[in-house]
Amino acid sequence: LGARGQKALAQFGVWNEVQDVCTAVLGRKDWAPESQEGVERIFTDRPVTTQVLPRDKLVGVLHQHILNNYAHRIQLKYEYEVTPLDFNAGIHGTEVVLQINKCENDQDQDRTNPSSVVNGNVPDTLCLPDQSFTLTTNLLIAADGTARTIANHMEENDKAKHDKMNPLTRIFAGKPFHVKRYVDDNQRIYKTIPLRLPPGWRPDLNYSARTKGGRINIDALPANRNGSYCAVLLLKKEDPMSQPDSDPKELRKLFDENLPQFTQLIDDQTMEVIAKKGPSFLPAFRYVGPRLNQDDRTIILGDCAHTVKPYFGLGANSALEDVQVLGDIIDSTSDLTEAVHTFSKQRAGEAKALVKISRELDRPGKLGFITFILPLILDSIFNGIAPKLFAPNTISMLQKEGYNFRRVARRKRNDRLAQIAIITTSLTAMTAAARLGVITLARAMGRQSTTVLGGLTSLIVVASFVKKLTGYLVPGMAPADVLAKTKSMVTNSETIVTSKNENAASSDPATS
């Protein structure tokens, strides 16, 4: 939970309760491939300290807060399937009619307490048509996550409307509601690993490492304040170790050879459980548009409006921000129809910008180099040379207070155009200077000295830039490697400490 999420929870009076079960994360320690040194980065100027907690704890705190404070106004119902029948019901179109089906788990699990659902893995359900009923409401807020049942019905509803229009009417009707579904061209699976930090490891850092070529990434965050961590092992879908019932000895060997910092944190029993468990899949990128409403009384928010992979902590935080914005809008007007349309206008562009930015940070191979690695390098160079003209990298900008997602996208687009213009102009100047140099030498310095000096200066500047750029062009370089190599900040100020592996668990059991 960063600034967006904390601000929203504070506004609704629940942040103190959530913070009580959180663990503060002050920075990050990362090991580059085949490195015996970890780079520790302590963030010193973020508007708030990042707080981490398991998802089920957040849900449990919110559940209990509602019971304690709003039991007389809010009813919580679980295991119901909601299907919209009419988005524009009533005399004035100010009602939504829903069909509600009671559902049952195919596992015997108590869903009356949401905190019993670990890691958000909800069991499959069987809905019972004979236990269905209809419900009419004057405001439907859909926050049904990646299932996006309501959003899919909105898309079908709009398509049916547009198909019935004549061609001329369709032109002036505007774009229909649509779910933009990206193909996941950088699919990774993950397995979770419980860890216990050894003495000497800070319990307030995000620990990460990866293997050469990007076969494995491991990222670990605190599970509590007692040194227990939850690590996420990211693997390519086709990797043998990503399959269920893989060989625990081979997995141990992989850790010993590539991730010695972490191998001694995992006992043999846990390693066997990891090897045997099936993979979990990250969500694919999705956003809806060009609006977040259907008619006058239905809106969608959170993951069903903008789905991103959980790499940069933007999913839950942006969803909580959606709720805060909606609350502010409803408080500012007595007209629910106006509130619905105002929310859609304010947040639809944000949903699109968030997903497009996040996807650019997750492209595979050469495309990922162009959309993520190279921009990181350029931002590091240009921001270092002219910080008043060029903003920090995109990751840093996403943490910047007062910047929404559209503003970040706009600023980085302008930076990129300016960078391209400067590089193009410099290369043109270098070519002209080289030509002029030949002419100058041929005429035995017959030109003015200032012309020769200008040409040589351009050559030196461009050569320096190219030298700095080529220093980063290492095959398989990951974003974290670029950040460490350039000392590029993920905030505007941070302390960077490069430490040898004395804090890492030794791969030698005797030493350990």
Side-chain angles (χ1 to χ4, degrees), residues 210-479:
R210 62 210 162 278
T211 60
K212 191 174 182 180
R215 179 183 177 184
I216 293 179
N217 286 62
I218 188 168
D219 232 283
L221 285 167
N224 57 39
R225 298 173 182 175
N226 302 319
S228 296
Y229 265 61
C230 179
V232 175
L233 181 67
L234 286 168
L235 297 155
K236 294 181 180 178
K237 185 180 178 181
E238 63 276 7
D239 194 291
M241 294 297 102
S242 72
Q243 308 308 313
D245 298 317
S246 55
D247 187 346
K249 293 181 180 178
E250 288 298 315
L251 185 59
R252 171 68 75 185
K253 181 181 177 182
L254 188 64
F255 267 80
D256 288 344
E257 293 176 352
N258 298 280
L259 301 170
Q261 306 91 339
F262 291 93
T263 189
Q264 293 299 315
L265 307 185
I266 308 171
D267 60 37
D268 289 340
Q269 183 179 359
T270 302
M271 190 68 76
E272 186 171 350
V273 171
I274 298 164
K276 296 300 181 185
K277 73 166 56 173
S280 298
F281 293 85
L282 297 172
F285 293 104
R286 302 278 190 274
Y287 71 85
V288 304
R291 63 181 191 275
L292 302 184
N293 68 292
Q294 185 70 11
D295 297 315
D296 294 335
R297 293 303 172 94
T298 300
I299 53 177
I300 58 176
L301 51 77
D303 277 358
C304 62
H306 43 74
T307 306
V308 296
K309 294 183 181 180
Y311 293 153
F312 302 101
L314 297 174
N317 285 285
S318 59
L320 291 168
E321 187 177 52
D322 283 345
V323 178
Q324 179 195 351
V325 171
L326 177 60
D328 290 341
I329 291 171
I330 290 177
D331 286 343
S332 68
T333 178
S334 58
D335 186 340
L336 277 179
T337 298
E338 180 184 344
V340 165
H341 288 273
T342 301
F343 175 80
S344 180
K345 289 176 182 177
Q346 287 191 18
R347 299 301 289 179
E350 287 293 285
K352 180 178 180 180
L354 165 61
V355 174
K356 296 190 79 169
I357 289 173
S358 300
R359 185 170 180 259
E360 291 300 294
L361 306 181
D362 186 54
R363 306 310 300 275
K366 294 179 180 178
L367 190 56
F369 176 83
I370 293 171
T371 63
F372 190 11
I373 305 296
L374 183 58
L376 274 181
I377 296 169
L378 292 176
D379 286 338
S380 172
I381 294 172
F382 280 91
N383 180 249
I385 294 172
K388 292 185 178 180
L389 295 178
F390 294 97
N393 61 67
T394 301
I395 302 174
S396 174
M397 294 297 290
L398 290 171
Q399 307 288 342
K400 201 172 182 66
E401 197 168 14
Y403 273 74
N404 60 27
F405 300 120
R406 281 178 290 184
R407 188 178 177 189
V408 171
R410 198 161 47 240
R411 179 59 194 268
K412 297 318 298 178
R413 184 166 55 247
N414 292 340
D415 279 358
R416 216 64 71 222
L417 291 172
Q419 290 164 358
I420 292 171
I422 290 172
I423 292 171
T424 303
T425 302
S426 299
L427 291 174
T428 303
M430 182 178 70
T431 303
R435 186 182 298 112
L436 182 60
V438 172
I439 296 173
T440 301
L441 290 174
R443 295 183 179 180
M445 304 301 291
R447 293 277 184 174
Q448 293 182 4
S449 59
T450 54
T451 303
V452 178
L453 180 62
L456 290 174
T457 301
S458 296
L459 281 169
I460 292 170
V461 170
V462 173
S464 175
F465 176 81
V466 171
K467 181 180 179 181
K468 183 176 287 190
L469 180 62
T470 53
Y472 306 121
L473 302 184
V474 179
M477 178 172 279

Side-chain angles (χ1 to χ4, degrees), residues 168-217:
L168 184 61
T169 305
R170 196 176 297 148
I171 292 174
F172 295 99
K175 293 182 179 180
F177 179 89
H178 177 64
V179 180
K180 176 63 178 178
R181 301 170 175 87
Y182 288 106
V183 174
D184 191 350
D185 55 9
N186 194 24
Q187 190 174 46
R188 297 268 180 159
I189 66 90
Y190 70 91
K191 295 185 177 185
T192 55
I193 307 173
L195 300 176
R196 183 75 184 177
L197 295 188
W201 285 49
R202 292 183 57 158
D204 56 3
L205 295 181
N206 172 194
Y207 291 98
S208 63
R210 62 210 162 278
T211 60
K212 191 174 182 180
R215 179 183 177 184
I216 293 179
N217 286 62

Side-chain angles (χ1 to χ4, degrees), residues 14-32:
V14 71
W15 171 240
N16 289 338
E17 296 164 61
V18 173
Q19 190 175 19
D20 285 343
V21 295
C22 287
T23 303
V25 173
L26 304 183
R28 180 184 183 95
K29 187 169 184 178
D30 178 78
W31 285 269

